[in-house]
Amino acid sequence: LRHLKEYQEDRKWLWLLNEYLKTNKEKLEIPMSMNERSFAIWHREKFLKEEQGKKLLKRCGLSMDMLNLYETTEPLAYYVHTRTTPQNMLILENKDTFYSMRRVLLSGEKEIMGTQIGTLIYGAGKGILRSFQDFALCGEPYMREDGNTLLYFGDLDYEGILIYEKLAGLFEEYCEIRPFCKGYDAMLEKSSRLGHEQLPFTKEGQNQNIGTRFWSYFSREQEINMQKILQEKRYIPQEILSVEDF
């Protein structure tokens, strides 16, 4: 009664939502993608994402959570070397490293830097924070086996460390994700031979508020060496290592 104009505008969509909740409430127990749920209720797949769906729910005092939906992301890209479990699965921040390590495994090797790797997962930088949901929801059965170890390897800079810490934090109830320490050790060793003055400078404006989770997997000496590089406003890209290093 206080918002008759808005009600007139929303009435068609309200009745569709009302009908769905009355006659299909049990379907809310099954998770659906946002576009699928949107079409099921309003017969418009983009009603929630791009039209007035979110505003309508807000006016009704309803949350998106009550619709039991999830947002779809770019499918997780990965290379399966073996489905034998338990195994080590390695998430890689950058595409070049993914391709190089895949070449090594395709050549018949079973190990990367002395560690047996069964699956390589391409993280696509920050994209892994969303696309890894695909792993948790739809990963192949062998991927979700108890006993598997998940490792992460990215650039040694504030952004790369933050990606790891956010990913590990988001999924800590599901699994433990550890840094691929051998990879970071190799980056440090190669950069010391090159000389820190040859390393590139970090981009301006990087968020430097990293926590302690990443450092907890390294020795105090390794942490000091890595912190020194960051304090010099430099970083080590993953690409310092190439196929010959793996």
Side-chain angles (χ1 to χ4, degrees):
L1 290 174
R2 291 195 303 270
H3 303 284
L4 289 177
K5 182 175 181 295
E6 288 81 359
Y7 174 71
Q8 287 175 338
E9 293 173 357
D10 292 341
R11 189 175 188 276
K12 172 185 174 182
W13 311 115
L14 278 167
W15 276 92
L16 288 170
L17 175 61
N18 185 65
E19 185 65 20
Y20 188 85
L21 295 176
K22 283 171 63 179
T23 61
N24 295 289
K25 193 171 183 180
E26 72 283 354
K27 292 185 178 179
L28 291 176
E29 296 175 9
I30 303 169
M32 277 191 188
S33 75
M34 182 181 290
N35 288 357
E36 289 169 346
R37 185 76 75 194
S38 182
F39 191 86
I41 298 173
W42 293 285
H43 318 308
R44 297 178 67 85
E45 78 278 10
K46 298 293 173 60
F47 187 77
L48 270 172
K49 195 166 190 175
E50 297 178 6
E51 300 176 23
Q52 63 265 50
K54 292 179 182 177
K55 187 182 290 185
L56 179 71
L57 290 178
K58 188 175 181 181
R59 285 174 176 169
C60 294
L62 301 175
S63 70
M64 295 275 281
D65 292 341
M66 63 85 61
L67 295 181
N68 194 13
L69 49 81
Y70 57 88
E71 291 196 56
T72 50
T73 62
E74 287 302 311
L76 197 66
Y78 57 92
Y79 164 68
V80 180
H81 189 61
T82 176
R83 288 180 171 80
T84 303
T85 58
Q87 66 164 264
N88 296 314
M89 295 184 285
L90 178 56
I91 304 167
L92 299 163
E93 181 180 337
N94 298 307
K95 192 183 298 181
D96 296 75
T97 309
F98 175 84
Y99 273 87
S100 294
M101 288 189 176
R102 187 176 67 173
R103 278 178 60 195
V104 171
L105 295 177
L106 284 170
S107 73
E109 296 291 334
K110 295 181 179 180
E111 296 185 349
I112 298 289
M113 309 177 89
T115 299
Q116 282 202 352
I117 301 294
T119 302
L120 295 174
I121 298 170
Y122 172 48
K126 292 178 181 177
I128 191 65
L129 299 176
R130 295 187 65 185
S131 63
F132 200 69
Q133 296 174 33
D134 187 52
F135 173 90
L137 288 168
C138 308
E140 294 186 43
Y142 85 90
M143 291 179 163
R144 301 193 299 272
E145 285 285 328
D146 291 338
N148 288 342
T149 299
L150 270 162
L151 303 167
Y152 184 87
F153 184 35
D155 293 335
L156 185 58
D157 64 355
Y158 290 111
E159 191 168 277
I161 295 171
L162 275 171
I163 291 171
Y164 162 73
E165 295 207 328
K166 286 180 180 178
L167 180 67
L170 282 170
F171 293 93
E172 62 185 347
E173 292 184 8
Y174 176 72
C175 60
E176 179 186 7
I177 303 175
R178 308 173 187 173
F180 182 50
C181 295
K182 289 183 178 179
Y184 291 103
D185 290 345
M187 289 168 69
L188 276 174
E189 195 275 328
K190 201 165 184 179
S191 69
S192 67
R193 285 191 276 117
L194 181 67
H196 289 184
E197 68 279 359
Q198 300 297 322
L199 293 174
F201 287 100
T202 54
K203 293 181 291 186
E204 291 292 326
Q206 278 199 355
N207 184 351
Q208 299 183 15
N209 296 319
I210 56 178
T212 59
R213 188 192 297 262
F214 180 78
W215 306 122
S216 68
Y217 291 91
F218 296 91
S219 69
R220 179 60 179 157
E221 181 182 358
Q222 290 169 314
E223 179 185 346
I224 289 170
N225 289 335
M226 289 188 278
Q227 290 272 23
K228 184 179 180 183
I229 291 168
L230 298 179
Q231 288 162 7
E232 291 173 356
K233 297 185 178 180
R234 296 183 186 270
Y235 74 101
I236 310 177
Q238 261 191 317
E239 291 84 354
I240 194 173
L241 303 176
S242 61
V243 67
E244 62 187 8
D245 298 300
F246 305 136

